[in-house]
Amino acid sequence: MPDKVTISVDAMGGDRAPDVVLDGVADALAADADLSVILCGPADVVEPFAARYERCTAHPAAEVIGMAEHPANAVRKKKDSSIVVGCRLVREGAAQGFFSAGSTGACLAAGTLVMGRVKGVARPALATVIPSPVRPVVMSDIGANADCKPEYLVQFGQMASIYAERIVGIDAPRAALLNIGEEDEKGSQFAQEAHRLLREGLPNFAGNAEGGDVLAATYDVIVTDGFTGNVCLKAIEGTSKVLFGAVKDVMTSTPAAKLGALAVKGGLRRLKEQVSPDTYGGAPILGVKGALLVGHGSSSPLAVRNGVLTAARIVRQDVAGTIARTVSGGAGRARKEVGRHGA
């Protein structure tokens, strides 16, 4: 794939847009000399910014899709929204990828309806990199498909394994099905059938994973339905937030504790950075034509920067093309693609 990549960016996505988005885009442009950005949003926001940056082009979009709007309905009705316009630029070839910290549902709907699904993909899936203190773990699906058929999970595993290797840099990733026990026969009828299909159709499948295996990074890829994956992810995020808050309270509770905190402050900062979701900048929607990365609503400038850069890396590593070849070739093709480095 060519080094030069163009990413369309939703200037109005996120709780603190557009300021945080603009700062992140500026940092991304500074970090990657072969990156160009098409900034989508109100003219009075995107045009002055683009005028200051040689590799940034403004593409005015008069509408914004709010977090509370029905995703599919909003995408169909708001044709001139920053999310729809950004995805349309990918479909038309003006950009190769899209980043937004806006509504995840709207990005999923626009990715599917506007950018289009990769041929052979039954359902695009939302993946994420779990920021384990041991090593990164890719989980998919985390919310795009609450109701699944067992066969969908085979493709979720294929796509997540490709992402784990090409983008996260995990050699020969081992995949597992999130279940209530490690034995093959454990779980609901859905889980047992998914296990059977994964065993047959995913060459790097290593069996069942329990909840405790996720942060322990026992496996590199965790495969699950969107309902279970979302609950698991939110539980991890909530637990992490509470624990870091509790540690901070303890370490500032007394003068002696504050003195001790100074000794471990550097280590705690490194740990917090290690488990920060800002590292990759967002969650990829796998199975659509092109790169589509969705940042958290509370994204910082660092998260936006990394999200835009990750979207560019997805393009350069031809993740969508690899997914297309994998799903069209079945298990044999998957065996060749998972384990093949770089593009």
Side-chain angles (χ1 to χ4, degrees):
M1 297 295 290
D3 289 334
K4 293 189 179 298
V5 173
T6 300
I7 302 297
S8 56
V9 176
D10 172 16
M12 304 309 293
D15 301 336
R16 293 177 288 165
D19 293 344
V20 165
V21 178
L22 299 183
D23 289 344
V25 168
D27 291 344
L29 289 169
D32 187 343
D34 290 320
L35 171 70
S36 295
V37 168
I38 303 177
L39 199 58
C40 306
D44 61 348
V45 170
V46 300
E47 289 178 350
F49 181 87
R52 299 199 304 271
Y53 293 88
E54 183 179 351
R55 287 177 283 115
C56 183
T57 303
H59 197 297
E63 299 174 302
V64 175
I65 295 177
M67 292 289 192
E69 294 187 67
H70 186 282
N73 289 344
V75 166
R76 291 188 179 97
K77 292 178 179 178
K78 292 187 172 182
K79 305 291 187 184
D80 198 31
S81 65
S82 51
I83 288 177
V84 173
V85 168
C87 288
R88 189 163 61 238
L89 289 170
V90 178
R91 184 190 67 192
E92 294 171 350
Q96 292 83 53
F98 174 62
F99 172 83
S100 173
S103 165
T104 300
C107 288
L108 177 64
T112 304
L113 297 173
V114 180
M115 290 172 60
R117 282 182 293 140
V118 169
K119 185 177 181 181
V121 171
R123 295 288 189 279
L126 189 63
T128 192
V129 180
I130 302 291
S132 165
V134 180
R135 59 178 177 270
V137 176
V138 178
M139 179 183 285
S140 182
D141 183 24
I142 59 163
N145 303 278
D147 297 304
C148 287
K149 295 180 180 179
E151 53 264 33
Y152 295 169
L153 271 64
V154 177
Q155 290 191 347
F156 296 170
Q158 291 173 337
M159 295 189 293
S161 296
I162 291 166
Y163 190 83
E165 187 165 42
R166 294 289 180 95
I167 304 304
V168 185
I170 302 172
D171 292 331
R174 297 171 69 241
L177 173 68
L178 188 59
N179 207 334
I180 59 172
E182 62 181 17
E183 298 84 2
D184 290 359
E185 68 277 5
K186 281 296 182 76
S188 62
Q189 286 186 322
F190 173 87
Q192 291 179 36
E193 178 64 8
H195 184 282
R196 183 185 69 80
L197 294 174
L198 284 162
R199 181 71 70 187
E200 295 174 355
L202 190 64
N204 57 320
F205 183 63
N208 287 329
E210 296 183 270
D213 292 318
V214 179
L215 280 181
T218 307
Y219 303 97
D220 304 301
V221 173
I222 300 295
V223 185
T224 185
D225 63 276
F227 183 91
T228 306
N230 190 270
V231 172
C232 180
L233 176 63
K234 295 296 174 60
I236 290 172
E237 290 177 342
T239 301
S240 177
K241 184 176 181 180
V242 170
L243 284 178
F244 272 108
V247 169
K248 181 179 179 181
D249 290 343
V250 169
M251 298 181 73
T252 57
S253 60
T254 66
K258 291 178 181 179
L259 187 61
L262 291 175
V264 297
K265 184 177 180 181
L268 287 175
R269 182 185 296 113
R270 287 191 295 273
L271 176 61
K272 190 171 183 180
E273 291 172 352
Q274 186 177 354
V275 300
S276 172
D278 289 358
T279 301
Y280 295 93
I285 296 177
L286 303 175
V288 296
K289 296 177 180 178
L292 204 173
L293 204 78
V294 186
H296 199 281
S298 60
S299 289
S300 64
L302 175 62
V304 173
R305 170 195 181 275
N306 290 342
V308 175
L309 294 176
T310 299
R313 180 165 171 76
I314 292 171
V315 174
R316 290 181 176 126
Q317 292 296 315
D318 192 27
V319 170
T322 306
I323 287 172
R325 294 189 294 272
T326 300
V327 299
S328 65
R333 175 69 70 178
R335 187 173 291 107
K336 294 178 183 178
E337 293 291 356
V338 176
R340 180 183 297 169
H341 290 287

